[in-house]
Amino acid sequence: MLLKKPLNEYIDHTLLRADATPEEILKLCREAAAYRFKAVCVNASYAALASEALEGTGVLTACVVGFPLGAAPTAAKVAETACACRDGAKEIDMVIHLGMLKSGDLACCTEDIRAVREEADKYGAALKVIIETCLLTEEQKVLACRAAAEAGAAFVKTSTGFSTGGATPEDVALMRSVVGDALSVKASGGIRTLDAAMKMIEAGADRLGVSAGVAIMKEYLAGQRA
């Protein structure tokens, strides 16, 4: 398939394990700079470390908020967003309040997203909204995407990668059909090979959250040289 941009520019090089060390985060940043990935995605406590390591490389620092459950109070998500942005995050990947969405309280879910988006806006940071597709019905996925759009998010994102499943091409296609060109779509969770990455892009993904970014790029570049 013909890519709209170089493959490396689709990739958010990601390390969100609870036991990730500063040394591992620095290695992640070195790899991201070497391959010129779009961003690194880390926990907010590592925002300053990553931002400093990436200074001058053109690679963005993205941080997760309310991760991985989404059940934190909105005020806590807003505070975490502010902390991450002050430390250099240029993108925020927040988890929606899944329980509120599943209960039918779409207004609460939307306002949760809006509050984080308004805080991110103060720092010029883009908001990605993780809807955790594996826990939702098709109808709920549609509602989650609409809530993200109504709240002014820049992206809808499939998954945390820490629940019962990750991204699927079918979910990416559904999300794209709902948001159209108004929002970008990020696929994340379980994307470990070039073939899987290309299927997500073909389905409509603008960005890929992957921990296997280096392996995917090596496979891609080997194919380009063949």
Side-chain angles (χ1 to χ4, degrees), residues 35 194 214-226:
Y35 284 95
L194 177 61
V214 171
I216 289 170
M217 283 304 300
K218 285 181 176 178
E219 187 179 355
Y220 176 71
L221 293 171
Q224 294 294 100
R225 291 191 293 267

Side-chain angles (χ1 to χ4, degrees), residues 16 41-44 62-67 80 92-94 130 157:
L16 297 169
C41 190
V42 297
N43 286 295
C63 289
V64 291
V65 162
F67 192 87
E80 190 176 11
I92 297 295
D93 292 35
M94 73 164 288
I130 306 170
K157 176 178 170 181

Side-chain angles (χ1 to χ4, degrees), residues 66-78:
F67 192 87
L69 301 178
T74 298
K77 292 180 180 178
V78 169

Side-chain angles (χ1 to χ4, degrees), residues 90-168:
K90 296 302 181 186
E91 296 185 338
I92 297 295
D93 292 35
M94 73 164 288
V95 186
I96 64 168
H97 199 303
L98 291 155
M100 292 299 181
L101 177 71
K102 290 175 77 70
S103 75
D105 194 343
L106 194 61
C108 179
C109 185
T110 303
E111 288 310 307
D112 184 56
I113 299 168
R114 194 189 313 277
V116 174
R117 193 268 301 162
E118 289 175 349
E119 190 66 23
D121 279 353
K122 295 176 184 178
Y123 300 89
L127 178 64
K128 308 190 197 89
V129 177
I130 306 170
I131 69 172
E132 202 69 286
T133 49
C134 62
L135 299 181
L136 303 179
T137 65
E138 185 163 318
E139 180 183 3
Q140 289 164 349
K141 293 168 194 176
V142 171
L143 291 174
C145 288
R146 289 177 179 167
E150 183 179 340
F155 282 77
V156 283
K157 176 178 170 181
T158 60
S159 320
T160 63
F162 284 73
S163 189
T164 57
T168 68

